[in-house]
Structures are given as C-alpha cells and as structure tokens.
Amino acid sequence: MDFKSNETIYSQITEYLKKQIFCGCFASGARLPAIRDLAVLCRVNPNTIVRVYAQLTEEKLIYTDSTNGKFVTSDGAFILQKKREYLKQKAEAFAKEVREAGLDGKEAVRMLGEIFGGQEEKERT
Amino acid sequence: MDFKSNETIYSQITEYLKKQIFCGCFASGARLPAIRDLAVLCRVNPNTIVRVYAQLTEEKLIYTDSTNGKFVTSDGAFILQKKREYLKQKAEAFAKEVREAGLDGKEAVRMLGEIFGGQEEKERT
Amino acid sequence: MDFKSNETIYSQITEYLKKQIFCGCFASGARLPAIRDLAVLCRVNPNTIVRVYAQLTEEKLIYTDSTNGKFVTSDGAFILQKKREYLKQKAEAFAKEVREAGLDGKEAVRMLGEIFGGQEEKERT
Amino acid sequence: MDFKSNETIYSQITEYLKKQIFCGCFASGARLPAIRDLAVLCRVNPNTIVRVYAQLTEEKLIYTDSTNGKFVTSDGAFILQKKREYLKQKAEAFAKEVREAGLDGKEAVRMLGEIFGGQEEKERT
DNA sequence: GTGGTCTAGACCACA
DNA sequence: GTGGTCTAGACCACA
C-alpha cells in the first residue's frame, strides 16, 4: 500500500479497511489483524493503526473483544447499510463535482458507463 | 467559502477555481480576482492565493499579464480538454471506489442516474 | 554561498543543487540536507528551501520519504537524461547569444576550446 | 519582443540592444530610437527605457547628443572590444555551468559544434 | 527530528 | 494597484 502525501495516513488506511469490510475481504465477524501486525504491514507507526481502529470502532463497523482482538461487526445488515451510505456519499460527491464543473449528468453517466466497460449496454439487451 | 479541515486550504481553493473555469463562470480570457482581493474574500493569507494561482498557471489554465493581473487562458479548446480530463479522472476515482467496495458498475451507474434526477430516463424516450 | 541580486534566491539555490546532483556530489539515492539545515547553511528562510525542494521534486530529481527526509531520485538513468537536457539547453542559450551578437559559431567554438585549456587539442593526438 | 517573467524587463531590453549594437544592426554612430518610440514598441513604460539607455550610456556604448537624441558610440574599435568581452563572459559562464554539472569540456565543445550545424567539421577539411 | 501549511507583513518591480 | 519574493515564526502530522 502506497500513501498519498496530501492526505493523512490514518484516514487512507481507514478508508482501505472500510472497503475491505464492504467488499467482504474482511467478512462480518472476522478477526482483524493485530495492531502491531498491521503497523508492520503498512510500514507505519502502531499509533497510526490505533487511531484507524478507533475510528472504525466509532462507526461501529468493528468492535473490540477485550482479550481476543478486534473483529468486524457480526451484524451483516448494518454493514450493508453502511456500504450503501458510503457509496451513496461517494456518488453524490462525484455528482457534485460534475455539476460544479458544468458537465451534465447525462454525459457523466455515459462516461462512467464507458469506464465500467460497456456493462450498461449489455444490460439493456 | 468554508474549508474542510482535512484538506489543505490552497488545494480547496484551487479546485474551486478550476471548476469555476470549467463551468464558464470564469470564462476563457476573463480576468481573475487580484491576489489580495481573493485573499480577503476567502479570508486567507495572500500567499495562499499566490500558491493557488501558481498551481493553475502551471496547469496553463491561467496566465499572468505582468502588472495587469491574472487571466483565464484564452485557448478555449485547451480548457475543454482539461475539463474532460478532470472529469474523466473524477469518474475513474469514483469507479475505483465502487469496485474496491465490492459494488458492481451496473448498480453504481443506476445510483448516479437517480442522483441526477432521472435525466437519463427522460432522454431515452 | 553568495547570491546575485538580479536573480531570485530560490532559483539560484535550485540551480546549485541541480548541478550538485548532475556532477554526482549528491549521488543518486543520497539523502539531501534537511530543509532547516540547508536554510541555516544558506542563511535563508526555511520556506525558501521548501520552494527549492518543491521545484526539484516536480522535476523528479528528488523525492520525499515522508518523515525521513529528501533524497536524490534513485533512477540514475533519469538523472543522466536530465543532465544532458540541462546542458543542451545551456549550450543552446549560449549559441543563441553568440548568433544574436553577430559572432560566428566557428569563433565561439574556438573561444570555448581556449577556456577549457586546450583539452580538445590534446585529445586529438 | 516577449519578456521572461523571472528577469527584470529593463535588463532584458538592455541585453537586446547591446546585441543589436554588437551585430551591427545598430551600427557605430547610428541614432537610436527615441525613448517614447522604443517604449511603445516594447509596450513598456518610458521610465524603463530611460533606465536601459542610462545603463548603456554608463557602459559607454551609447551617448547623448543633447538635443538630437541618443547615438551608438562612433568608436568602432571600442564596440569590438566590448563585443569580445561580452562573448568571452558568456562563454565563461557556459563553461562554468558545464564544469559544475560535471561534464567535460570536450563534450561541451562537441555539443556546441553540433548546434552550429557541423561548421566545425567543415573547417577541418 | 522530519516535512508541510499557513499567517502577517515587508519590500521590490512595473504601470 | 498589480504580481513576486522573502522573512520570522506558528502549528500540524508522522516517527
């Protein structure tokens, strides 16, 4: 994992883990890497990971089982809801950019369709 | 203009101006606010605006007419090209988020369609 | 290091460092002086050095390893290429001066040969 | 005439005129453009031209014939000497760059020969 | 200790 | 009044 220099490292790692949870790479109920392990993996100070886990805990996506470590919440429906919110927010941010730059929605949707490799077209058939 | 705390002020202003140029609010050839004026407007130090304008100058979106001020480049085609690039990049970033969070493109496109208020559907008819 | 008054300080320092990199005084991969250290050394404000390093970073001659400091790019071939470009550009600027002042190239080359202390002649033998 | 933004305008115009004198475009004894005319031509404030002419006067390349205007010095030998000095200085500056960037003189001379379109080779034959 | 951002404000060139 | 450079120094993130 490489980091952008214009964003804080912990927020980049937080985003990364969030997406890992959403996509199921860290499944509901799964045990997360130990702080030290993840710190080594990310070549980052353990304090940074502490902060990452704190944030995810606050969002209730993970919880601490005191002696056993950190786990992804077992409430699958909650994760799904969070996932929807997350993507809705990303989509709205993108839509905002599009509008502010004076492009119309139609073209933006087409652009996105292209990026997804013509999936949209296939669908219509 | 309010600033987010997790992004640098100068990059937020840069983005803002870029979009103003793309959407035509600052038209090709138009004069931009004087450094000191924009600084007052944004309640920011003039040096911050210097940096913003330097960045836009480097991207060739604006240029300096020695003591007369800063102007949007008069090459309209160039601006259009930059606008396309900008939006392509935003669309790709969004698509990347979508994929990483394990959503399929189809759903992302639909989500975006909804946000744009059904413009897409109307059009097909 | 003394500064000429007709050129900006930051560009003089940038040029200086560039040549230090080209000649190998700062070798590929080597760590550069810390911003504050170089500022003290040059008796200049740290912000000026920030600007110098920013410029060299943009040219990809150096890079930042987050909190560890600044380093000369490890791509030696790239440096060599940049060095060639740099000298080509200087040579062309000199040639332009020569032509504009109405001297012919032949004489300019001879003049330069003299300055280099007859190395050229020795070599042919 | 376009101006670089990193050098003062008056010094750019001074250099320009100097070379015009050296190459004979403004011949020994010739009348120079009136301050106002040159100011208009260069799209520059007349004060800037005043400064330019002052500098050339100081270098004795031009003189003022009180009521009639400014003239290139009629001492042709003096101009020749100045020209040599000027080019010597440029050549030495170039040589200094070359050395500082760690290139050897041989290669610099060859590079220059190339730029002058193989004139050097012709000479040997 | 490392780099990055930002402020407040001086001083310069040019018009 | 326009932009550009520079200083002195604060404050932040990360290690």
Side-chain angles (χ1 to χ4, degrees), chain D:
Chain D
M1 201 175 173
D2 290 340
F3 300 112
K4 295 179 199 160
S5 59
N6 53 346
E7 252 178 279
T8 59
I9 289 182
Y10 77 82
S11 69
Q12 292 179 61
I13 300 177
T14 304
E15 283 280 288
Y16 173 73
L17 287 184
K18 217 181 262 189
K19 283 181 284 194
Q20 292 289 304
I21 292 171
F22 289 150
C23 74
C25 294
F26 286 121
S28 179
R31 191 173 182 280
L32 292 157
I35 289 178
R36 285 168 201 201
D37 293 353
L38 190 52
V40 169
L41 197 68
C42 297
R43 274 183 254 164
V44 135
N45 190 293
N47 287 327
T48 306
I49 304 298
V50 167
R51 194 162 176 184
V52 166
Y53 279 170
Q55 193 145 330
L56 292 172
T57 303
E58 191 168 346
E59 293 198 49
K60 298 198 195 299
L61 281 167
I62 71 175
Y63 67 95
T64 306
D65 182 356
S66 57
T67 65
N68 300 315
K70 313 277 188 183
F71 295 83
V72 177
T73 181
S74 34
D75 182 348
F78 179 74
I79 293 174
L80 256 172
Q81 179 207 323
K82 278 284 193 181
K83 177 176 169 180
R84 288 236 111 218
E85 278 171 18
Y86 179 84
L87 284 161
K88 190 94 187 182
Q89 180 203 323
K90 293 290 177 188
E92 262 155 8
F94 174 57
K96 187 158 167 279
E97 296 283 351
V98 166
R99 279 193 220 99
E100 286 173 355
L103 202 72
D104 64 17
K106 181 179 72 175
E107 187 158 3
V109 170
R110 186 183 336 123
M111 202 178 244
L112 212 62
E114 271 171 38
I115 289 168
F116 283 118
Q119 296 175 346
E120 205 196 5
E121 284 74 38
K122 281 178 198 154
E123 207 162 355
R124 280 193 215 141
T125 31

Side-chain angles (χ1 to χ4, degrees), chain C residues 40-84:
Chain C
V40 168
L41 198 67
C42 297
R43 279 185 242 169
V44 131
N45 187 284
N47 281 329
T48 303
I49 304 298
V50 165
R51 186 162 185 180
V52 165
Y53 279 167
Q55 212 153 79
L56 293 172
T57 303
E58 187 139 352
E59 293 199 49
K60 299 200 193 293
L61 282 168
I62 71 175
Y63 68 92
T64 303
D65 182 359
S66 68
T67 93
N68 297 316
K70 308 280 195 178
F71 297 82
V72 177
T73 182
S74 31
D75 183 348
F78 179 75
I79 294 175
L80 257 172
Q81 179 206 324
K82 280 283 193 180
K83 177 175 169 179
R84 291 234 109 218

Side-chain angles (χ1 to χ4, degrees), chain C residues 19-32:
Chain C
K19 283 181 284 196
Q20 291 289 304
I21 292 171
F22 288 150
C23 74
C25 295
F26 286 119
S28 179
R31 191 174 183 283
L32 293 157

Side-chain angles (χ1 to χ4, degrees), chain A residues 52-69:
Chain A
V52 165
Y53 280 170
Q55 194 145 331
L56 291 172
T57 304
E58 190 168 347
E59 293 199 48
K60 298 196 193 299
L61 281 167
I62 70 174
Y63 67 96
T64 305
D65 182 357
S66 56
T67 65
N68 299 316

Side-chain angles (χ1 to χ4, degrees), chain B residues 25-82:
Chain B
C25 294
F26 286 120
S28 179
R31 190 173 183 282
L32 293 157
I35 290 180
R36 285 156 173 85
D37 291 352
L38 190 53
V40 168
L41 198 68
C42 296
R43 279 186 241 167
V44 131
N45 187 284
N47 281 330
T48 303
I49 304 297
V50 165
R51 186 162 184 180
V52 165
Y53 278 167
Q55 212 154 76
L56 293 172
T57 302
E58 186 139 350
E59 293 199 48
K60 299 200 194 292
L61 283 168
I62 71 175
Y63 67 94
T64 304
D65 183 359
S66 68
T67 93
N68 298 315
K70 307 280 195 178
F71 297 82
V72 177
T73 181
S74 32
D75 184 348
F78 179 75
I79 294 175
L80 257 172
Q81 180 206 323
K82 279 286 193 179

